[in-house]
Amino acid sequence: MTQITIGKLSSATGVKVTTIRYYESIGLMSEPDRSQRGQRVYDDTGVQRLSFIRHARDLGFPMNVIRDLIELQTTPAKTCDAVDRIVSEQLEDVRTRLEQLKALEKELERISANCVGGKVESCRVMEALNDHGSCLAKSHERVRGF
């Protein structure tokens, strides 16, 4: 079994040392063993867990859902119904955000097309930003992650 320090774990996974410590503090990663000099040392299981967390984060899963997925990993004999449900919910969330982003893109393209140059005092873009009433949409939902 290989044992690596937190710095090497960070390099191997692309996760910052402070983030690794944070994951430990909230219980996503187990408290690691310590070397004789008191350094954190991680085994293959720790590397796999951090890689799992990193990949799940890259796919946009929130921390509470990652916690649920990790819990499901500890019961490998269960059916994957819960995992399928979680992934389906994440997919729906991504689709919703894509729709929101497309609406924002359309509005920003429209505002930008009104730009005729000149000075800020007569800028059509600034005018549009100052007056939501000139927007096509009644409201703009803030897209999570942006």
Side-chain angles (χ1 to χ4, degrees):
M1 180 177 348
T2 307
Q3 291 205 323
I4 61 173
T5 63
I6 195 168
K8 289 182 180 175
L9 177 63
S10 174
S11 295
T13 60
V15 177
K16 293 179 182 178
V17 168
T18 53
T19 303
I20 296 169
R21 289 182 182 140
Y22 172 70
Y23 291 160
E24 291 170 7
S25 74
I26 63 170
L28 284 183
M29 292 197 54
S30 302
E31 185 69 29
D33 291 334
R34 300 280 181 159
S35 70
Q36 289 179 343
R37 296 188 305 168
Q39 287 184 302
R40 289 173 162 91
V41 288
Y42 300 85
D43 59 16
D44 295 335
T45 303
V47 174
Q48 289 170 353
R49 170 67 58 86
L50 186 57
S51 294
F52 178 88
I53 295 168
R54 168 75 193 265
H55 192 207
R57 292 294 293 151
D58 288 347
L59 291 170
F61 287 99
M63 299 300 270
N64 62 322
V65 173
I66 293 171
R67 183 180 309 281
D68 293 343
L69 290 168
I70 289 170
E71 180 64 31
L72 289 167
Q73 274 187 326
T74 64
T75 54
K78 280 188 169 182
T79 68
C80 59
D81 293 343
V83 176
D84 290 341
R85 180 186 46 75
I86 289 169
V87 171
S88 294
E89 289 172 1
Q90 179 65 12
L91 179 58
E92 186 57 36
D93 187 48
V94 167
R95 287 178 174 150
T96 299
R97 285 185 278 158
L98 283 171
E99 287 176 17
Q100 292 171 335
L101 285 170
K102 287 176 186 174
L104 288 175
E105 177 187 36
K106 185 177 180 180
E107 188 65 39
L108 289 170
E109 283 176 345
R110 189 186 68 76
I111 290 171
S112 179
N114 289 325
C115 182
V116 293
K119 298 188 185 268
V120 172
E121 66 188 359
S122 60
C123 178
R124 298 302 270 267
V125 173
M126 295 299 278
E127 185 180 310
L129 291 173
N130 279 318
D131 180 16
H132 177 68
S134 67
C135 291
L136 295 177
K138 292 199 187 285
S139 69
H140 305 293
E141 292 181 50
R142 185 158 191 265
V143 181
R144 286 185 300 120
F146 289 91

